Amino acid sequence: MIQQFIELGQGYGDVFELCELVKTNEKRFHNAFIFISNIGDKHVASIAVTFKAAGEGKFMPIYICREGIPYNPEKPSQRLTIFENALQEIGKKAIPMEVKHSSFYSETTLYYQHLIGILRMNHFIPPKQ
């Protein structure tokens, strides 16, 4: 199984697009995540959704809106609320995880490889095979 991140933007339109992907691909839904990281004294969140491979394919997409959402558990961002409501509509919840900020890595590709390793290790996505 090949897993790959597909990055959307960080704005409201991108969050709505991700939510629409959740609703229209409900049968393919695998997991959803809220990746929480720190940059200096700021807490930011990325939201992501994994879908099962289409048909006989061996490709598992992981759509992500990376680090554009301010994170405060006491006062959730409207974008996080929109995301969580979309998941609730299909009877699912996001898995929150604390991860390193992508700026810790010299390339975004390395950051995504690290996240894939974490997701595989925790059995949130299947192994590469």
Side-chain angles (χ1 to χ4, degrees):
M1 181 73 56
I2 298 169
Q3 293 106 357
Q4 182 177 342
F5 277 89
I6 300 170
E7 190 169 316
L8 303 173
Q10 302 172 348
Y12 278 93
D14 303 296
V15 172
F16 284 118
E17 182 65 26
L18 184 61
C19 292
E20 190 62 27
L21 286 169
V22 167
K23 293 173 193 175
T24 59
N25 289 286
E26 182 178 354
K27 290 181 181 180
R28 291 182 53 212
F29 180 89
H30 184 72
N31 267 321
F33 304 96
I34 300 173
F35 298 117
I36 304 156
S37 60
N38 301 328
I39 182 78
D41 62 346
K42 290 174 147 182
H43 300 288
V44 294
S46 301
I47 55 176
V49 177
T50 59
F51 294 106
K52 297 171 188 160
E56 298 296 316
K58 302 279 187 216
F59 176 71
M60 174 180 254
I62 309 168
Y63 290 92
I64 186 167
C65 294
R66 181 172 51 99
E67 298 167 343
I69 302 171
Y71 183 76
N72 180 347
E74 295 168 8
K75 187 180 174 199
S77 160
Q78 187 175 7
R79 287 177 276 180
L80 278 179
T81 303
I82 291 166
F83 180 63
E84 289 173 332
N85 288 343
L87 293 172
Q88 188 176 19
E89 284 181 34
I90 66 164
K92 305 294 183 182
K93 287 188 173 191
I95 300 166
M97 299 179 76
E98 290 194 26
V99 298
K100 292 180 182 178
H101 193 270
S102 65
S103 64
F104 182 80
Y105 301 87
S106 59
E107 297 177 28
T108 307
T109 305
L110 297 174
Y111 171 68
Y112 287 142
Q113 288 174 349
H114 176 77
L115 287 183
I116 287 171
I118 290 170
L119 296 177
R120 285 178 182 161
M121 182 178 68
N122 287 290
H123 305 285
F124 293 133
I125 60 175
K128 187 173 182 175
Q129 296 179 2

